[in-house]
Amino acid sequence: DGGITQSPKYLFRKEGQNVTLSCEQNLNHDAMYWYRQDPGQGLRLIYYSQIVNDFQKGDIAEGYSVSREKKESFPLTVTSAQKNPTAFYLCASSIGGASGSGETQYFGPGTRLLVL
Amino acid sequence: SQKIEQNSEALNIQEGKTATLTCNYTNYSPAYLQWYRQDPGRGPVFLLLIRENEKEKRKERLKVTFDTTLKQSLFHITASQPADSATYLCALGTGGFKTIFGAGTRLFVKA
């Protein structure tokens, strides 16, 4: 089955700690995205990657970092600089590519991050 | 400023009726508009995409309209069923990789 997986489902962060959220896809998509969802708000884009070894900041990148060393994987690190990290984090992918766009995104099941 | 608005109040309808959800936007010129379904605690699922030069798109019981003059999209679910109960997200694409999502409208279909 093709799809996107995210792990863990729930993650707890202590003060001053960096945590990494995993996202893997086997859809052979070039583009991948990280969004943050807070109650009553739309999804907000943290980072996106059009193609392997390249990524761009989204609207709320401060306090987050990513890497894209493999086509299938786009991990997100929530650093201690992110002062309000409690949220539902969603990873997505789309066909993308150098001349592509962000249409028709496929989402993972999400990771809920809570602060202890 | 740029804004995308969906009804924040939940929509309650009776099974078998048509549900109509609204998405309004300001200060965008979208190349396309998408609708996604999201169930509680899960990721959104893509439903339909309509481009700026299309007026209407259908898929089974779903219909989307797109009026670039009114800056509005309407999303209809005909013959609604309790299984259609979910949050529906509107999303604008400007042609690049950034997609702007609305906060969503919660739909409850009563049996």
Side-chain angles (χ1 to χ4, degrees):
Chain A
D1 278 342
I4 300 186
T5 56
Q6 290 185 242
S7 62
K9 190 172 173 67
Y10 295 95
L11 186 57
F12 297 91
R13 193 191 92 163
K14 291 181 184 175
E15 202 75 37
Q17 188 182 38
N18 292 356
V19 291
T20 297
L21 285 61
S22 167
C23 177
E24 303 276 332
Q25 56 99 357
N26 61 3
L27 298 167
N28 200 32
H29 286 170
D30 282 309
M32 295 187 76
Y33 313 80
W34 274 106
Y35 293 93
R36 170 181 171 139
Q37 188 173 36
D38 294 279
Q41 295 192 42
L43 277 65
R44 291 185 290 167
L45 183 64
I46 305 172
Y47 270 97
Y48 66 99
S49 168
Q50 293 175 230
I51 205 154
V52 68
N53 291 322
D54 179 68
F55 51 83
Q56 309 291 332
K57 289 183 181 179
D59 299 316
I60 54 164
E62 187 174 345
Y64 300 97
S65 66
V66 294
S67 63
R68 186 85 189 276
E69 296 173 3
K70 296 189 298 182
K71 188 174 185 177
E72 303 79 21
S73 179
F74 191 40
L76 173 75
T77 296
V78 184
T79 74
S80 57
Q82 173 48 245
K83 296 307 177 192
N84 184 23
T86 297
F88 190 48
Y89 290 86
L90 288 159
C91 178
S93 72
S94 66
I95 292 175
S99 58
S101 72
E103 58 186 72
T104 314
Q105 296 185 24
Y106 294 80
F107 284 83
T111 292
R112 192 163 296 279
L113 177 61
L114 299 161
V115 176
L116 291 175
Chain B
S1 64
Q2 296 175 318
K3 261 204 287 193
I4 176 170
E5 288 181 343
Q6 297 185 252
N7 287 354
S8 57
E9 287 184 21
L11 179 63
N12 290 282
I13 65 166
Q14 201 67 33
E15 182 177 12
K17 301 290 187 189
T18 295
T20 298
L21 286 68
T22 306
C23 175
N24 294 300
Y25 60 92
T26 55
N27 297 326
Y28 284 112
S29 295
Y32 56 84
L33 188 145
Q34 305 175 81
W35 285 88
Y36 289 79
R37 169 185 172 139
Q38 186 175 24
D39 290 287
R42 310 198 58 172
V45 174
F46 171 78
L47 296 175
L48 279 169
L49 180 149
I50 185 165
R51 300 192 185 279
E52 60 178 332
N53 59 348
E54 297 175 314
K55 295 288 184 196
E56 182 180 297
K57 203 122 202 229
R58 291 174 187 260
K59 179 182 172 185
E60 297 171 352
R61 294 185 296 113
L62 309 180
K63 184 178 90 170
V64 173
T65 63
F66 192 13
D67 189 326
T68 55
T69 303
L70 288 179
K71 296 188 185 297
Q72 182 181 78
S73 174
L74 298 178
F75 176 77
H76 307 272
I77 306 175
T78 58
S80 59
Q81 304 165 0
D84 294 326
S85 299
T87 297
Y88 291 87
L89 309 178
C90 164
L92 300 183
T94 54
F97 282 83
K98 285 190 179 183
T99 300
I100 313 299
F101 284 83
T105 297
R106 192 88 190 265
L107 172 67
F108 292 99
V109 181
K110 262 196 326 190

